[in-house]
Amino acid sequence: MFPSSFASLVDYSRRPRVRRGANPSVGAPVLIRHARAGDEPSIARLAALDEQELPQGERLIAEVRGRPVAAVEVRSGATIADPFVPTSAVVELLGLRARQVRR
């Protein structure tokens, strides 16, 4: 069969519509909170993924859908983030919140 005749046999109406390039995290609520001792494994995971260490001190952590995706050390403003998740807007929010907490 030629590709053009094969396409006419496929029922495209039954396939779910997915926008190309759609990010499932877009529009998801972001929770920013103070990091606790129990968050150390999550922070260590983010640091390993981002290949940098987060200074010790007061830290804030950002979660999207219950998953930690970024963290910031309040005093220095140093951040780490999951490089496999679009986090630029989350990191910007974390920086803003860190500046508010520093005051």
Side-chain angles (χ1 to χ4, degrees), residues 10 24 27 31 41-42 45 49 64 85 88 94 103:
V10 177
L31 172 67
S42 296
R45 179 186 153 279
L49 288 172
V64 174
V85 176
S88 60
L94 270 174
R103 293 180 184 181

Tab-separated table of all heavy atoms in Angstrom, residues 10 24 27 31 41-42 45 49 64 85 88 94 103:
chain	number	residue	atom	x	y	z
A	10	VAL	N	-6.620	4.994	8.550
A	10	VAL	CA	-6.428	5.279	9.974
A	10	VAL	C	-7.539	6.193	10.454
A	10	VAL	O	-7.829	7.211	9.833
A	10	VAL	CB	-5.049	5.939	10.219
A	10	VAL	CG1	-4.878	6.288	11.679
A	10	VAL	CG2	-3.945	5.013	9.761
A	24	PRO	N	3.352	19.611	30.417
A	24	PRO	CA	2.323	19.275	31.392
A	24	PRO	C	2.416	20.080	32.677
A	24	PRO	O	1.458	20.154	33.428
A	24	PRO	CB	2.558	17.788	31.654
A	24	PRO	CG	3.939	17.513	31.215
A	24	PRO	CD	4.267	18.532	30.150
A	27	GLY	N	0.896	25.834	33.972
A	27	GLY	CA	-0.394	26.042	34.613
A	27	GLY	C	-0.546	25.274	35.913
A	27	GLY	O	-1.530	25.460	36.617
A	31	LEU	N	4.274	25.351	44.705
A	31	LEU	CA	4.335	25.546	46.146
A	31	LEU	C	5.756	25.931	46.511
A	31	LEU	O	6.700	25.201	46.194
A	31	LEU	CB	3.937	24.255	46.877
A	31	LEU	CG	4.143	24.258	48.383
A	31	LEU	CD1	3.201	25.259	49.055
A	31	LEU	CD2	3.953	22.873	48.951
A	41	PRO	N	17.261	14.866	51.265
A	41	PRO	CA	17.445	13.962	50.112
A	41	PRO	C	16.976	14.585	48.789
A	41	PRO	O	17.621	14.399	47.752
A	41	PRO	CB	16.594	12.737	50.474
A	41	PRO	CG	16.504	12.754	51.961
A	41	PRO	CD	16.491	14.208	52.333
A	42	SER	N	15.882	15.328	48.834
A	42	SER	CA	15.394	15.987	47.616
A	42	SER	C	16.364	17.064	47.154
A	42	SER	O	16.621	17.207	45.953
A	42	SER	CB	14.020	16.614	47.864
A	42	SER	OG	13.068	15.626	48.145
A	45	ARG	N	19.344	15.413	45.628
A	45	ARG	CA	19.005	14.921	44.289
A	45	ARG	C	19.046	16.062	43.274
A	45	ARG	O	19.621	15.934	42.196
A	45	ARG	CB	17.622	14.275	44.310
A	45	ARG	CG	17.166	13.765	42.972
A	45	ARG	CD	15.716	13.255	43.042
A	45	ARG	NE	15.075	13.367	41.769
A	45	ARG	CZ	14.528	14.462	41.242
A	45	ARG	NH1	14.526	15.578	41.916
A	45	ARG	NH2	13.977	14.463	40.062
A	49	LEU	N	21.573	16.467	40.075
A	49	LEU	CA	21.071	16.668	38.713
A	49	LEU	C	21.615	17.956	38.102
A	49	LEU	O	21.950	18.001	36.920
A	49	LEU	CB	19.541	16.721	38.698
A	49	LEU	CG	18.805	15.412	38.937
A	49	LEU	CD1	17.316	15.669	39.092
A	49	LEU	CD2	19.059	14.438	37.802
A	64	VAL	N	6.318	21.331	42.244
A	64	VAL	CA	5.271	21.339	41.222
A	64	VAL	C	4.655	19.950	41.247
A	64	VAL	O	5.359	18.949	41.082
A	64	VAL	CB	5.840	21.652	39.821
A	64	VAL	CG1	4.762	21.520	38.759
A	64	VAL	CG2	6.456	23.042	39.794
A	85	VAL	N	13.289	19.552	33.753
A	85	VAL	CA	11.963	20.152	33.898
A	85	VAL	C	12.113	21.636	33.573
A	85	VAL	O	13.066	22.271	34.030
A	85	VAL	CB	11.446	19.981	35.348
A	85	VAL	CG1	10.126	20.672	35.551
A	85	VAL	CG2	11.332	18.511	35.709
A	88	SER	N	12.596	27.758	34.591
A	88	SER	CA	13.047	29.154	34.612
A	88	SER	C	12.061	30.045	35.360
A	88	SER	O	12.467	30.896	36.154
A	88	SER	CB	13.296	29.674	33.198
A	88	SER	OG	12.110	29.607	32.430
A	94	LEU	N	11.273	31.713	42.983
A	94	LEU	CA	12.086	31.417	44.165
A	94	LEU	C	12.993	32.593	44.523
A	94	LEU	O	13.142	32.942	45.697
A	94	LEU	CB	12.956	30.181	43.924
A	94	LEU	CG	12.376	28.837	44.280
A	94	LEU	CD1	13.319	27.728	43.833
A	94	LEU	CD2	12.076	28.718	45.740
A	103	ARG	N	14.509	40.328	53.764
A	103	ARG	CA	14.233	41.662	54.311
A	103	ARG	C	13.879	41.636	55.758
A	103	ARG	O	13.420	40.934	56.429
A	103	ARG	CB	13.122	42.337	53.537
A	103	ARG	CG	13.568	42.640	52.146
A	103	ARG	CD	12.485	43.311	51.383
A	103	ARG	NE	12.950	43.481	50.018
A	103	ARG	CZ	12.256	44.042	49.087
A	103	ARG	NH1	11.083	44.520	49.311
A	103	ARG	NH2	12.739	44.166	47.879
